[in-house]
Amino acid sequence: MRKRVVLYRPVPADVLEILRARFDVTAFDEVSEANRPQFVQALGSAHGIMGNTLKITAALLDAAPELEVASTISAGYDAFDVEALTRRGVVLTNTPDEVTETTADLVFALLLSSARRVVELANWARAGEWRGGVSEHYFGMDVHGRTLGIVGLGRIGAAVARRAAQGFGMRILFTKRRPDPHAESAWGAQRCELDALLAQSDFVCTMVPLSSETHHLIGARELGLMKPDAILINASRGPVVDEAALIAALESGQIRGAGLDVFEREPLPADSPLYSLPNVVALPHIGSATRATREAMARRAAENLIAALEGRHVSTIVNPQVMELRRARGVCM
């Protein structure tokens, strides 16, 4: 009997064909209030699911008694109740490698745009305000030779550090649970505690996954430790930063500015002060949003799903402890 798969995000046509050649596929472009009953009904016989952004809760998993694999088309997996998946013996896979370089590009775009006031001054010029030379009032700040503090030197953080050190001659500080000999030798990076990083950095870049430990990791106290001329960059997950505290710090001039691709609530409400503050660059969560990267993510997610459902090894399993549960139940992978 062919296994059944439910997709809840669009995928490229060739990826869909690959999946349909192996499984019975039910595809939803998205899950809304209108089609949620049909989606839940499809989950009832699903062996695998694939998509992103939708919250996969324990209650939703109760509707999927046959589920074996959840494959997310993303590096992050905070949309999933990992504990509930693991308890049910469901493998969760992600796509961390495909997003690394593209997201690092976007992080640096935020950094440069914030430092040189690119969006603010482009809008100023477009509004017809550019009538002569640009006065000191509109000057930005240099990036080259400055200090970049990276909170969480994982895959993407390391790619940002490489760009900063090799391309802009920046001094790199980072926080990480363990030393990183490669970063230290290749880029002269220095590992330090968060408070020291905040106090010394001209740019602070948050690159940690969202968890109970990192929720509001950067709050009023942490923002108060930053230099008055410092800029905060967040392209990880919105709730890593206390948004209300950040808005207060930006409005008061406690820090110079912020470059943000993620927010506590997405889409960011139209009346958010972050849209009206001139010292903020706010993007609509586009870290991995290039055609090549999104297609690569979809293909890897499909490959993960196929391998896991066919009992083969998958290198990017979020909850490897589920393997012990499967072995205990006599299921091989």
Side-chain angles (χ1 to χ4, degrees):
M1 182 185 73
R2 283 161 61 95
K3 292 191 174 181
R4 291 174 290 278
V5 165
V6 174
L7 307 183
Y8 55 94
R9 290 291 288 182
V11 298
D14 61 324
V15 173
L16 184 58
E17 289 177 10
I18 290 170
L19 291 171
R20 282 181 167 159
R22 290 169 170 81
F23 311 117
D24 290 334
V25 178
T26 302
F28 297 85
D29 283 348
E30 63 179 3
V31 177
S32 63
E33 289 302 316
N35 67 2
R36 192 174 183 88
Q38 289 81 10
F39 174 71
V40 173
Q41 182 179 13
L43 288 181
S45 60
H47 299 96
I49 58 174
M50 188 175 106
N52 64 3
T53 70
L54 180 69
K55 288 286 185 183
I56 305 298
T57 63
L60 197 57
L61 291 170
D62 286 341
E66 304 297 320
L67 193 64
E68 300 173 23
V69 180
S71 179
T72 180
I73 313 174
S74 63
Y77 46 85
D78 47 281
F80 293 82
D81 187 330
V82 179
E83 182 179 342
L85 287 166
T86 303
R87 191 168 56 247
R88 290 165 169 79
V90 178
V91 172
L92 174 60
T93 71
N94 66 337
T95 62
D97 296 321
E98 285 70 24
V99 307
T100 299
E101 297 298 333
T102 299
T103 305
D105 285 349
L106 192 278
V107 169
F108 233 86
L110 283 170
L111 193 154
L112 289 166
S113 296
S114 300
R116 297 302 302 271
R117 302 169 67 174
V118 170
V119 175
E120 176 191 358
L121 294 180
N123 290 335
W124 177 78
R126 187 177 290 112
E129 298 296 327
W130 184 25
R131 300 187 182 95
V134 177
S135 69
E136 186 175 347
H137 175 74
Y138 294 104
F139 286 177
M141 64 183 286
D142 285 327
V143 172
H144 64 273
R146 294 297 188 110
T147 297
L148 171 62
I150 302 176
V151 183
L153 197 73
R155 290 177 176 88
I156 300 171
V160 171
R162 186 179 74 247
R163 286 161 171 75
Q166 296 180 347
F168 291 83
M170 299 181 81
R171 175 191 177 211
I172 308 298
L173 304 178
F174 69 95
T175 64
K176 195 173 184 178
R177 290 179 180 175
R178 301 179 184 84
D180 192 320
H182 175 73
E184 292 164 8
S185 63
W187 312 311
Q190 299 173 265
R191 180 170 170 257
C192 59
E193 296 299 320
L194 178 60
D195 285 6
L197 179 149
L198 294 170
Q200 297 179 58
S201 299
D202 299 301
F203 301 91
V204 174
C205 178
T206 56
M207 297 306 309
V208 293
L210 179 62
S211 68
S212 57
E213 294 180 356
T214 62
H215 184 270
H216 284 187
L217 179 66
I218 305 298
R221 188 191 77 84
E222 290 74 23
L223 291 164
L225 295 174
M226 292 173 62
K227 296 178 179 182
D229 220 25
I231 291 174
L232 177 70
I233 306 295
N234 186 16
S236 55
R237 284 294 186 265
V240 169
V241 176
D242 182 337
E243 205 163 279
L246 175 61
I247 290 170
L250 292 164
E251 288 178 334
S252 68
Q254 185 176 37
I255 64 172
R256 182 185 182 96
L260 309 171
D261 188 43
V262 291
F263 306 91
E264 290 207 64
R265 178 182 165 193
E266 295 183 2
L268 183 66
D271 60 353
S272 170
L274 292 171
Y275 281 134
S276 58
L277 286 167
N279 54 344
V280 174
V281 177
L283 299 178
H285 202 153
I286 58 170
S288 64
T290 70
R291 185 178 300 279
T293 294
R294 288 289 176 87
E295 289 179 354
M297 291 167 66
R299 289 191 185 93
R300 176 54 63 89
E303 290 168 1
N304 289 345
L305 182 67
I306 292 166
L309 285 175
E310 293 181 350
R312 293 184 280 111
H313 173 72
V314 181
S315 61
T316 57
I317 295 181
V318 173
N319 52 347
Q321 61 270 41
V322 82
M323 304 303 294
E324 296 301 322
L325 292 174
R326 283 178 168 256
R327 291 188 187 100
R329 295 172 181 173
V331 178
C332 297
M333 179 179 286

